[in-house]
């Protein structure tokens, strides 16, 4: 339904959940068949068949309760519901995840198939309204699905603009061993000294590409050789060159404006203040952009003064399910400035996401140094205007749905709740569209239809892009990240999959896992969770990309002291516990961003976020994780298990897990086993030590007064024997490399944590 980081496979969550409830002597073959393994089908696409199990085991599952205190995107509670547990509780700290959990776990169960009908109805209504909008009609060509854009900078040598292109490929697609599409761009200088883009589509030049061979940037077809240009920007090495004169434009002295090809060629006293020229230039654009929107300069002054600006390179059309590439014209880029003028007229509208991007998050948000300090700046003017229009239409649709249901004699509370459910899915389609439609996407030249634009968050961070996609909302084909694709994904795939008729009682709460005070006196048969991995993902900061749009789509707008501002959809007790506002007496306070409100409470190693040393950040992480484990131990029934996934290649991360579970919470490892949870080909593993296996650790509470004093030598020998015995059992099972090391470590922990002290 929407991208979420480190989400675990559903069948794994199903297996771990059922394994945490059944006794050790259960018939494993029956369990495998019951959860859908061995059927020849993808097991997560089928509901479990518990009738295969013995009666006492079925009853055990159906009478049990499960808690996931770090529920994230909900894989574990969803599978617990599909298994038919009596009660399932999902806890999240972040409002964004909380919204998604309601969309996955609560609304489908509560409203069923009527959601599909109404999302289709109101999604079509929104699309039609966009088509009729006079502000938008002139901004898109009817037959263009995607515009490929980049940044252009003013060449300091010639005072002319030069595009920065990170990859000149448009299509390098193969089926089996043969290429089906080969196309690329190349720059061409016009008589008046400007740079134009020429499209070379080899599929049109040759009757067949069957004999095509590609080596690097060289293409050979029969006796013809073609060379794809080299990129003229590499931000990792701080190198760029101007297409006008092929001279390097690597560094600038901001004080004097002088350009240096290398730092070493600058005087020693100047080197410290040198900046990568494209970074400096785009930072100036973002500064001047805000000055224009605030009315301090005119549009002409913005475009004349700025040393960098977005530009359109190529238009992509879809004909007969194939892509056609056409060079963009000056008018195509001009539509961006037309859209910008429209935004300037509504500047101050609360639907423009002016909330700040965190400046400290260098690990995952790499665009701040380029001047992207507010969320709206990640979108070109046309993209931003379109998203603002969609937000307003979602809000209007919500009110119309509520009125419609009240007319059908629903109570006001019930009508409001249903309207919130439908608009939540419309809002999710919006954030999916935003993820595919911003200036930090990537053109996927090697991809097949329907996915040509790689979404912004695909690299687990927000990175600069020199070939981004601008996706038309009007493209009819369900592909390339269009609005239609994102609506269809929800109505045709997600909701039919989720509406499963589960009898589980589900509880979704916004709460802090170190406190969990909203659970009151609850207790659980099993707690299964995928806890935070040390320094893996800064969820609060990254998911603000979604948050700023969700908040607007699911809020109202009111006038206070003559100024329009966001407000909760309602202010009485019938309103759900809003994830976007805090009650203050009889009023409310808007939560601007998650990173400002929740980041410091997130269980994560993040020195930049906290403004402390790494050692202190690790200590605080262990303390928070330990507090959460201690609270979870108190929520377990006497014979219950706390089961954790863990997937990390850092020994320090494992040490932190051990301190939290063993030293702080007083738990012991009852068992540990490896479970493959990652794709070997995943993008985020490239160039890294890769751990494809999660170690599933089952923790138990120590009984009151339970002690076991061990001698170090005895514990070592026992741990070694346990590891050897375990490793013999997994030889040939496809577990390799670091996976073996950490799988063995899980068994060692089982032995060592059985000791209350080691002497």
């Amino acid at each position: 339904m929407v991208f979420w980081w480190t989400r675990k496979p559903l069948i794994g969550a199903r297996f771990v959940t059922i394994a945490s409830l059944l006794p050790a002597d259960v018939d494993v073959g029956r369990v495998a068949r019951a959860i859908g393994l061995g059927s020849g089908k993808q097991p997560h696409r089928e509901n479990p068949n518990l009738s295969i199990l013995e009666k006492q085991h079925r009853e055990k599952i159906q009478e049990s309760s499960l808690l996931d205190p770090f529920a994230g995107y909900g894989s574990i509670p969803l599978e617990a519901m599909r298994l038919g547990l009596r009660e399932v509780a999902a806890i999240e700290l972040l409002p964004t995840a909380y919204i998604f959990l309601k969309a996955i776990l609560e609304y489908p169960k509560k409203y069923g198939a009527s959601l599909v009908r109404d999302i289709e109805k109101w999604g079509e209504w929104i699309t039609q309204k966009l088509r009729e909008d006079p502000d938008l009609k002139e901004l898109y060509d009817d037959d263009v699905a995607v515009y490929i854009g980049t940044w252009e900078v003013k060449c300091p040598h010639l005072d002319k603009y030069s595009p920065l292109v990170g990859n000149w490929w448009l299509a390098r697609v193969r089926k089996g061993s043969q290429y089906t599409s080969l196309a690329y761009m190349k720059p061409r200088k016009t008589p008046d000294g400007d740079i134009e883009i020429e499209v070379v589509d080899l599929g049109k030049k040759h009757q067949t590409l069957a004999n095509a061979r590609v080596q690097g940037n060289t293409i050979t077809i029969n006796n013809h050789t073609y060379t794809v240009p080299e990129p003229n920007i590499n931000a990792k090495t701080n190198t760029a060159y101007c297409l006008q004169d092929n001279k390097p434009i690597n560094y600038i002295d901001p004080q004097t404006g002088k350009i240096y090809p290398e730092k070493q060629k600058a005087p020693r006293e100047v080197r410290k203040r040198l900046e990568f020229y494209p970074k400096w230039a785009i930072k100036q654009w973002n500064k001047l952009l805000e000055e224009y929107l605030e009315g301090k300069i005119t549009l002409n002054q913005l475009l004349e003064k700025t040393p960098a600006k977005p530009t359109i390179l190529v238009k992509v059309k879809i004909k007969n399910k194939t892509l056609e590439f056409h060079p963009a014209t000056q008018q195509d880029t001009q539509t961006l400035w037309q859209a910008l003028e429209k935004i300037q007229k509504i500047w101050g509208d609360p639907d423009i996401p002016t909330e700040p991007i965190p400046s400290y998050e260098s690990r995952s948000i790499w665009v701040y140094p380029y001047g992207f300090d507010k969320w709206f700046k990640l979108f070109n003017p046309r993209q931003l205007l379109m998203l603002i229009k969609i937000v307003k239409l979602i809000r209007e649709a919500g009110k119309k749905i509520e009125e419609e249901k009240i007319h059908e004699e629903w109570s006001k509370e019930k009508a409001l709740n249903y309207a919130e459910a439908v608009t939540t899915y419309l809002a999710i389609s919006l954030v999916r569209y935003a993820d595919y439609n911003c200036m930090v996407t990537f053109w996927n030249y090697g991809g097949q239809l329907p996915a040509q634009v790689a979404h912004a968050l695909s690299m687990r961070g927000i990175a600069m892009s020199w070939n981004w996609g601008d996706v038309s909302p009007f493209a009819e084909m369900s592909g390339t990240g269009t609005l239609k694709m994102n609506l269809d994904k929800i109505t045709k795939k997600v909701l039919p999959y989720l509406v499963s008729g589960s009898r589980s009682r589900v509880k979704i709460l916004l709460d802090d896992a170190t406190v969990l005070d909203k659970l009151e006196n609850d207790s659980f048969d099993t707690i299964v969770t995928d806890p935070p991995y040390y320094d893996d993902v800064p969820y609060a900061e990254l998911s603000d990309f979604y948050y700023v749009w969700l908040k607007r789509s699911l809020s109202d707008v009111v006038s206070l002291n003559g100024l329009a501002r966001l407000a909760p959809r309602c202010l009485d007790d019938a309103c759900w516990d809003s994830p976007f506002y805090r009650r203050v007496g009889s009023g409310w306070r808007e939560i601007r961003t998650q990173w400002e409100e929740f980041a410091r409470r997130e269980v994560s190693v993040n020195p930049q976020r906290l403004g402390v040393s790494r050692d202190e950040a690790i200590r605080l992480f262990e303390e928070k994780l330990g507090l959460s484990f201690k609270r979870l131990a108190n929520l377990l029934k006497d014979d219950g298990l706390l089961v954790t996934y863990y997937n990390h290649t850092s020994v320090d991360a494992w040490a932190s897990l051990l301190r939290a579970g063993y030293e702080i919470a007083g738990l012991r490892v009852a068992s540990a086993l490896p479970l493959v949870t990652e794709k070997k080909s995943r993008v985020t593993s490239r160039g890294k030590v890769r751990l494809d296996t999660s170690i599933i650790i089952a923790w138990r509470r120590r009984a009151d007064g339970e002690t076991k004093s061990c001698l170090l030598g005895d514990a070592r020998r026992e741990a070694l024997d346990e590891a050897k015995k375990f490793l013999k059992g997994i030889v040939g099972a496809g577990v390799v490399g670091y996976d073996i090391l950490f799988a063995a470590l899980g068994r060692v922990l089982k032995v060592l944590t059985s000791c209350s002290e080691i002497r």
Side-chain angles (χ1 to χ4, degrees):
M1 182 162 60
V2 73
F3 174 81
W4 193 257
W5 304 264
T6 71
R7 187 172 70 235
K8 291 294 178 277
L10 292 173
I11 185 57
R14 184 184 299 183
F15 157 70
V16 171
T17 299
I18 200 169
S20 71
L21 294 169
L22 296 181
D25 61 356
V26 71
D27 183 331
V28 176
R30 279 192 176 189
V31 174
R33 294 194 302 276
I35 64 174
L37 293 173
S39 66
K41 301 177 181 178
Q42 289 182 305
H44 69 273
R45 297 192 179 279
E46 305 291 329
N47 282 328
N49 181 9
L50 297 189
S51 65
I52 294 172
L53 299 178
E54 294 179 19
K55 182 181 178 183
Q56 69 268 29
H57 295 151
R58 290 199 305 273
E59 290 175 348
K60 168 66 176 173
I61 293 166
Q62 293 165 349
E63 292 168 1
S64 295
S65 55
L66 174 141
L67 165 67
D68 183 354
F70 298 102
Y73 197 65
S75 294
I76 293 167
L78 174 61
E79 286 303 321
M81 290 175 65
R82 295 175 79 184
L83 283 165
L85 274 70
R86 174 177 52 82
E87 185 172 352
V88 177
I91 310 295
E92 252 303 329
L93 174 69
L94 298 180
T96 299
Y98 173 71
I99 294 292
F100 294 154
L101 286 172
K102 290 178 82 71
I104 292 165
L105 306 176
E106 180 183 311
Y107 295 148
K109 174 180 167 56
K110 189 173 181 179
Y111 298 116
S114 65
L115 284 172
V116 174
R117 294 192 297 272
D118 277 329
I119 296 164
E120 286 179 340
K121 171 184 172 181
W122 292 101
E124 179 58 36
W125 178 83
I126 288 171
T127 304
Q128 186 57 37
K129 286 290 183 182
L130 292 173
R131 288 185 182 281
E132 296 168 358
D133 192 314
D135 285 339
L136 300 176
K137 277 184 178 180
E138 59 185 351
L139 301 182
Y140 295 92
D141 293 329
D142 290 338
D143 58 347
V144 174
V146 182
Y147 300 83
I148 301 175
T150 189
W151 290 91
E152 60 180 6
V153 296
K154 187 174 286 187
C155 176
H157 310 301
L158 300 174
D159 203 34
K160 283 183 172 291
Y161 283 97
S162 170
L164 298 173
V165 180
N167 205 309
W168 294 90
W169 282 98
L170 290 171
R172 193 171 73 192
V173 181
R174 62 195 303 169
K175 188 174 183 180
S177 60
Q178 294 186 352
Y179 286 95
T180 58
S181 182
L182 289 169
Y184 60 92
M185 302 175 279
K186 68 178 185 180
R188 182 177 61 195
K189 192 177 289 189
T190 65
D192 58 0
D194 292 326
I195 298 295
E196 281 186 350
I197 298 299
E198 179 184 346
V199 170
V200 180
D201 190 334
L202 298 180
K204 292 184 176 180
K205 284 180 173 285
H206 296 269
Q207 289 184 345
T208 177
L209 298 176
N211 298 322
R213 298 290 179 267
V214 179
Q215 188 169 9
N217 276 13
T218 301
I219 307 166
T220 305
I221 304 176
N222 299 327
N223 296 321
H224 300 276
T225 299
Y226 304 89
T227 302
V228 180
E230 292 292 330
N232 69 323
I233 175 75
N234 187 329
K236 289 183 179 178
T237 58
N238 283 358
T239 54
Y241 68 86
C242 172
L243 294 174
Q244 300 280 0
D245 56 12
N246 292 324
K247 289 183 179 180
I249 47 173
N250 295 341
Y251 295 98
I252 184 171
D253 178 356
Q255 286 189 12
T256 64
K258 188 172 181 181
I259 300 296
Y260 294 90
E262 301 173 30
K263 275 191 174 182
Q264 289 73 14
K265 293 189 176 181
R268 188 180 297 272
E269 66 275 10
V270 173
R271 291 177 195 170
K272 287 186 178 179
R273 63 175 186 253
L274 290 182
E275 290 189 55
F276 182 41
Y277 178 74
K279 184 182 292 185
W280 171 84
I282 294 170
K283 194 189 305 179
Q284 301 311 304
W285 158 264
N286 278 310
K287 178 184 174 185
L288 291 166
L289 172 66
E290 207 156 352
E291 288 184 13
Y292 165 70
L293 291 171
E294 291 172 352
K296 296 177 181 177
I297 59 174
T298 65
L299 180 60
N300 285 339
Q301 288 173 322
L302 166 66
L303 298 179
E304 288 170 4
K305 291 172 66 175
T306 183
K309 56 188 177 182
T311 188
I312 304 298
L313 300 174
V314 169
K315 298 184 285 192
V316 185
K317 301 178 182 181
I318 302 175
K319 292 191 177 178
N320 299 321
K321 296 187 177 180
T322 60
L323 300 182
E324 288 189 358
F325 303 99
H326 301 269
T329 65
Q330 288 185 347
Q331 180 56 37
D332 292 313
T333 298
Q334 187 65 29
T335 57
L336 301 183
W337 317 138
Q338 291 173 247
L340 186 57
E341 288 180 299
K342 298 175 191 296
I343 292 170
Q344 203 264 355
K345 290 177 182 176
I346 62 168
W347 186 246
D349 189 308
D351 287 333
I352 302 173
T354 56
E355 293 94 332
I357 292 174
S359 60
Y360 57 76
E361 192 46 65
S362 58
R363 238 180 348 101
S364 295
I365 299 181
W366 303 293
V367 294
Y368 191 90
Y370 288 82
F372 295 97
D373 55 350
K374 295 178 181 176
W375 289 104
F376 78 89
K377 294 181 181 179
L378 294 179
F379 305 88
N380 75 39
R382 177 167 55 193
Q383 292 168 333
L384 181 60
L385 182 65
M386 175 60 68
L387 293 170
I388 293 167
K389 297 276 189 180
I390 296 173
V391 163
K392 294 182 183 300
L393 289 170
I394 291 173
R395 185 180 300 126
E396 187 180 347
K399 293 178 179 178
K400 287 180 177 293
I401 295 165
E402 187 180 350
E403 290 170 3
E404 189 178 82
K405 293 304 175 187
I406 289 174
H407 183 70
E408 293 174 12
E409 299 186 351
W410 287 31
S411 70
K412 181 172 176 55
E413 180 181 350
K414 186 179 176 183
L416 175 64
N417 289 339
Y418 183 73
E420 283 170 347
V422 176
T423 52
T424 292
Y425 293 105
L426 296 175
I428 289 171
S429 69
L430 165 67
V431 299
R432 276 183 58 92
Y433 180 49
D435 192 14
Y436 282 96
N437 195 43
C438 58
M439 293 192 294
V440 285
T441 56
F442 299 86
W443 178 250
N444 181 16
Y445 60 86
Q448 300 274 7
L449 283 173
Q452 285 296 145
V453 177
H455 64 96
L457 301 174
S458 59
M459 296 297 290
R460 283 202 190 178
I462 298 175
M464 275 301 296
S465 175
W466 312 100
N467 297 68
W468 37 261
D470 183 342
V471 183
S472 170
F474 306 128
E476 286 297 330
M477 185 167 179
S478 292
T480 63
T482 64
L483 184 61
K484 176 177 172 53
M485 180 196 87
N486 294 307
L487 285 163
D488 286 351
K489 188 87 170 180
I490 291 170
T491 57
K492 291 182 170 53
K493 292 187 177 181
V494 175
L495 281 174
Y497 180 83
L498 291 175
V499 178
S500 61
S502 171
R503 292 175 295 179
S504 303
R505 292 201 305 270
V506 62
K507 183 186 293 186
I508 301 166
L509 298 173
L510 268 173
D511 206 350
D512 187 331
T514 64
V515 181
L516 297 176
D517 55 359
K518 291 185 180 179
L519 288 175
E520 299 173 343
N521 298 319
D522 292 6
S523 61
F524 297 89
D525 295 284
T526 187
I527 299 173
V528 182
T529 195
D530 187 11
Y533 296 159
Y534 207 57
D535 58 356
D536 194 27
V537 177
Y539 290 95
E541 292 87 351
L542 285 178
S543 63
D544 268 340
F545 182 94
Y546 297 141
Y547 178 81
V548 295
W549 295 110
L550 288 174
K551 177 173 60 174
R552 286 165 170 78
S553 302
L554 301 175
S555 291
D556 209 340
V557 172
V558 299
S559 178
L560 290 176
N561 301 321
L563 294 175
R565 58 178 291 192
L566 297 175
R569 283 273 280 123
C570 60
L571 290 173
D572 56 34
D573 292 337
C575 188
W576 66 340
D577 184 18
S578 174
F580 309 120
Y581 303 90
R582 288 278 183 265
R583 291 188 183 275
V584 180
S586 59
W588 42 268
R589 170 181 67 83
E590 180 189 339
I591 299 172
R592 244 191 358 169
T593 62
Q594 294 176 128
W595 74 265
E596 292 170 297
E597 189 87 13
F598 303 103
R600 288 177 170 269
R601 293 163 59 191
E602 203 171 68
V603 182
S604 176
V605 175
N606 196 323
Q608 299 97 329
R609 172 196 282 173
L610 300 173
V612 298
S613 68
R614 183 164 180 82
D615 286 345
E616 177 63 8
I618 292 170
R619 187 193 68 78
L620 291 169
F621 168 74
E622 291 174 357
E623 183 180 280
K624 287 185 213 172
L625 191 60
L627 285 172
S628 65
F629 274 34
K630 197 168 185 177
R631 178 72 177 106
L632 295 175
N634 291 332
L635 289 168
L636 270 179
K637 293 181 179 177
D638 290 341
D639 60 345
L641 283 177
L642 165 61
V643 186
T644 58
Y645 286 76
Y646 215 64
N647 179 297
H648 213 294
T649 53
S650 163
V651 175
D652 290 338
W654 279 85
S656 294
L657 178 72
L658 187 58
R659 290 190 191 104
Y662 175 63
E663 295 181 13
I664 298 176
L667 298 166
R668 62 179 176 84
V669 175
S671 67
L673 70 154
L675 183 71
V676 175
T677 56
E678 309 297 328
K679 288 184 178 179
K680 294 182 185 298
S681 60
R682 67 190 186 280
V683 173
T684 53
S685 71
R686 291 176 188 166
K688 300 178 183 178
V689 174
R690 190 180 71 223
L691 188 65
D692 300 315
T693 300
S694 289
I695 309 304
I696 308 300
I697 302 177
W699 306 78
R700 283 198 187 277
R701 286 193 317 195
R702 293 184 186 282
D704 292 341
E706 180 185 351
T707 59
K708 180 183 176 183
S709 182
C710 305
L711 290 173
L712 179 58
D714 293 340
R716 270 185 168 164
R717 280 189 293 275
E718 188 181 347
L720 184 60
D721 288 343
E722 180 76 16
K724 283 181 176 178
K725 183 172 66 175
F726 172 69
L727 290 173
K728 282 181 182 178
I730 64 169
V731 169
V735 184
V736 297
Y738 276 81
D739 295 343
I740 289 178
L741 171 64
F742 289 106
L745 178 59
R747 308 304 283 195
V748 171
L749 294 182
K750 174 183 176 181
V751 173
L752 298 185
T753 61
S754 68
C755 306
S756 52
E757 67 167 351
I758 300 177
R759 295 181 289 112

